[in-house]
Amino acid sequence: MATNVLALPRAAEPTGIMSWITTVDHKRIGILYLVTAVIFFIIGGIEALIIRTQLATPSSTLVDPATYNQVFTMHGTTMVFLALMPLNSGFGNYFVPLMIGARDMAFPRLNSLGYWLFLFGGLLLYSSFLIGGGAPDAGWFGYAPLSERAYSPTHGIDFWILSLQLLGISSIIGGLNFIVTILNMRAPGMTLNRLPLFVWGTLVTSLLAIFAIPSISVALFLLLFDRTFATSFYLPGGSGDPLLWQHLFWFFGHPEVYIMIMPSFGIISEVLATNSRKPIFGYAAMAFAFAGISFVSFTVWAHHMFAVGMSPLADAIFAGMSFVVGVPTGIKIFNWLGTIWRGSLRVNTAFLFAAGFIGQFTIGGLGGIMLAVVPVDWQITDTYFVVGHFHYTLFAGTVLALFAGTYYWFPKMTGRFLNEKLGQIHFWLTMVGMTMLFLTMHYVGVLGMPRRIYTYGPNMGWDLWNLIETIGAFIVALGVLFFIVNLFKSMRQKATATNDPWDGQTLEWATSSPPPAYNFASMIPVNSPRPLWDAKYGPHSEFASNPKKIDLSGGGNANVHLPNPSIWPLVLTIGLVIIAIGIIFGFNGGALALDISSMGMAVQSLPIAFAGGIVVFFIGLVGWIAQPAG
Amino acid sequence: MSAVGKLEHGAHRAGQALETVVDQAHSQELHAATSTGLDHRKLVMWVFIASETIFFAALMATYLVNRGKVTPEDGPEHLNLAVASFNTFILLFSSLTMVMALQAIENAKKRRMIFLLAATALWGLVFLGGQVYEYAELIANGITFDSNVWSSSFFALTGFHGTHVFVGIIWICMLIIRALRGGITENNHLAVELGGLYWHFVDLVWVVLFTIIYLI
């Protein structure tokens, strides 16, 4: 084929900035997701440190109340939508196709669109500091009527609404892509009950995302109408109902916490099984537990609303369903313990984080069981107990798992190991710091300290505990600093990682580190959830010396056709962002609006930016359709 | 293991061995067909529609909690059941022409398909016209988007549905353009099927809306 120029494959990796902007390679998009989300994670962390410094001492004046509201709103929104969700998406993008033996995602350009919407959604949110007259300030849950125009008159909430819509579209199309990829592109023999558990986690998270996010999309649209067109969906004065917001929000918001944790459960399962040199204990039960948790998660949303005065029957049903969540979660905890039990353990940083996860996350789960008891919830809702609880699920859960995943998969992604010594310092600082920080929050919450207060008096008996929390926060931050230093230091070292540095069980370890653009030149048969292990040691085998060497990378220059790079996802995204800005400023008669009231239209003015954004969007759409996908 | 079981096992193994034969040099995919046998695009369309159901469910819930909060003269009694019934008929009829368009291209009758697609888009436009007429009537009676929670919910629910119809019309127009340029043939007409899935879904949503807004 070498004589036919048109048929030349583009197996080699292109370089340069344009190759990253137009990339449709799932590995590059995964890296873009991860790097962007780590930057947002650091920004969200700095906001957390501002909060903790303000609360370290009573009657502190570091920030004023208005700024404090903006900082805790941005901290929550950033960590949920711009850090944890995209970090999971990043690992999912990079590793799901590798783990199921595919060359890419089912829709490479949609994948790229998902990334750009995430990036620009985040930038739009943060631009509110500069051009919105202030950041959003009604909390990440945006409770109406606090988020209505009368109580939050700046453009902050408008930015929040529109950026969450963009991020929601990003998550839905990412979810659609993962679902189709996982259902449709599995290697021969990889039935659903042989999927690696990380892939199971991503599949379940994607299903949650596509069913949960439309609810918040509607909630945000109605809030936008209230703020822009003087409707009163959530305004009691106009016979609207603030509880409508809470129902629509938490119908999304509760599954959302599982959206953030499911891939993490998967990462923990992979890390523990590999580093215990055993198959995962109770594979089928683990897979069913994923399905069980996700199903039940749609039936518990009103446990966030026990204090609003629902009927006792509703309280009882939602409390009962919330207890049910503990069953599949408990199955997972015991199966992880069973996986480690009598394993031939390799205690590296990834394993330490995964083991730390089991203990710390269990505390988070127990706190959840306490909060599901309605009378207990009435007593401690809106106190720091709740803050401590959900940080024990999201930090001790998701973040510890993401750290474990980073130490585990970094060699595959870069060909380089992370430094073990720095890693273990990072681990211990994180464990000590987070315990001081979040466990103490439970206690100070029971003492009565409410959430979302910018300061407190010196005579409340909370001083010591808040100081301990703040010291803990800075210890965690020091740990993250060690982690960042580790990332840079390791990237400057020689690439010494082999294809399969951890003696792995799943297919991503069967190709080179980092994998070639086409992932695999050939495939091995899949007859169990750990195909690589079968290939190395024989079916149903125990850990042994001298495994067979497996390399499916084809030497990195196999003759494989890859999908074309594309600029159109970025063009589409820019169109949508311009539309969003047009909506934020235009409909209020801002400078960007064109008056067309003389044409007798129902709207008083048509924003120029809105119209321009639609033009850009359609240019992107037509370009996309005209470009051959292959 | 019984003899039949052995035979089955053997056949299964043979099938797997066949599947794992990979053309190392020029293969586009590691395995030719999709795992489920469904085309990616068809599968994603179904999952997308599943996601859309929650979007409309949330809007319908909003409408249902708000419909009892106003007196009839503040809105509900100004609804035009005749226009809405006509619209329902038109939209259901458009689903029929959509199905016939797909059938036409399956039978290699491309001109007939283009004609039927155009008819479907036209019925969609008629539906939107009926909706504009009803909106104008309500506005003439002083009932606007911000009058009360009933009117807000009504306009939001039917407005988002109308937007979906509008997107469907653009979609069908793009199908027609593609067909005229030779992009749709009797062997390559998945795009028509996908557009049809979307169109039928939007139609079905209207049947539910018609029931909860005009009938109960």
Side-chain angles (χ1 to χ4, degrees), chain A residues 17-24 108-110 112-113 116 120 563-575 616-617 619-625 627-628:
Chain A
I17 184 112
M18 273 312 281
S19 76
W20 282 88
I21 289 175
T22 60
T23 186
V24 292
R109 287 182 298 178
L110 272 189
S112 155
L113 179 64
W116 292 113
F120 280 89
N564 293 317
S566 177
I567 192 74
W568 302 112
L570 178 59
V571 176
L572 267 182
T573 304
I574 290 172
V616 177
F617 177 83
I619 291 171
L621 192 65
V622 171
W624 183 312
I625 293 171
Q627 183 192 32

Side-chain angles (χ1 to χ4, degrees), chain A residues 188-189 523 525, chain B residues 10-23 30-33:
Chain A
M523 192 36 63
Chain B
H12 184 66
R13 288 281 294 275
Q16 267 178 350
L18 265 178
E19 278 178 339
T20 50
V21 172
V22 173
D23 179 0
L30 288 168
H31 25 93

